[in-house]
Amino acid sequence: MTTAKEIKCRGKIINSFIAGQWHYGYYVKIIRNGITRHYICSIDEADYEVDPTTIGEFTGAVDVDGNEIYDGDIVKSDRHTLTVEWRAGWLGFRLVGDNFNYLLNQLFMEDFKIVGNKFDNPELLNNGENNG
């Protein structure tokens, strides 16, 4: 029997008293009367409209502490600080930095810890560039 991959996403909430907070769940795009809105919906919590530029998919991998790794996260090992990015041309999530571009692999992630993300912590990218 084959099981489907659970597709989870996150995005930063807008148009709410908790705007700016991350919300986790399932991504839904609604177009009504020519207006496009983006939502992260969850079964256990409310659904929230989110900033579409912040939406990131769960990679299926976890860091050394067991934290879920999402597109846009910044991860660090003893030698590298890298950004997790979806690369459509590569059909997968990549770890990207200066002179560093590798397919994200759970075995490889055992040496990495999430230290932030490119939306909340751009300073970790060394003025927009990753350390490789």
Side-chain angles (χ1 to χ4, degrees):
M1 182 168 111
T2 307
T3 53
K5 175 187 172 211
E6 181 179 27
I7 299 176
K8 296 191 293 186
C9 294
R10 70 174 179 195
K12 289 193 102 170
I13 298 170
I14 59 174
N15 301 329
S16 170
F17 68 96
I18 57 172
Q21 292 186 25
W22 289 101
H23 189 56
Y24 296 80
Y26 305 95
Y27 172 63
V28 177
K29 177 179 173 181
I30 297 174
I31 302 171
R32 185 176 295 140
N33 298 326
I35 298 172
T36 303
R37 297 188 185 268
H38 306 268
Y39 294 88
I40 298 293
C41 304
S42 63
I43 295 170
D44 301 333
E45 299 179 37
D47 304 334
Y48 291 101
E49 186 175 2
V50 296
D51 176 349
T53 65
T54 65
I55 295 170
E57 185 179 337
F58 173 49
T59 65
V62 295
D63 74 357
V64 68
D65 295 328
N67 298 309
E68 295 179 338
I69 299 172
Y70 285 80
D71 184 12
D73 278 343
I74 300 170
V75 296
K76 184 173 183 143
S77 71
D78 292 338
R79 298 179 3 184
H80 303 286
T81 300
L82 305 166
T83 304
V84 177
E85 296 180 2
W86 169 258
R87 295 285 175 100
W90 292 88
L91 299 174
F93 291 99
R94 310 288 294 178
L95 295 171
V96 180
D98 291 339
N99 302 313
F100 199 98
N101 185 351
Y102 290 96
L103 185 64
L104 187 143
N105 174 314
Q106 181 58 54
L107 294 175
F108 191 60
M109 295 315 299
E110 292 177 359
D111 296 330
F112 284 88
K113 178 177 180 65
I114 298 170
V115 294
N117 64 69
K118 66 182 183 180
F119 308 103
D120 295 333
N121 314 100
E123 71 280 1
L124 296 176
L125 298 177
N126 190 21
N127 296 323
E129 296 297 325
N130 295 336
N131 298 322

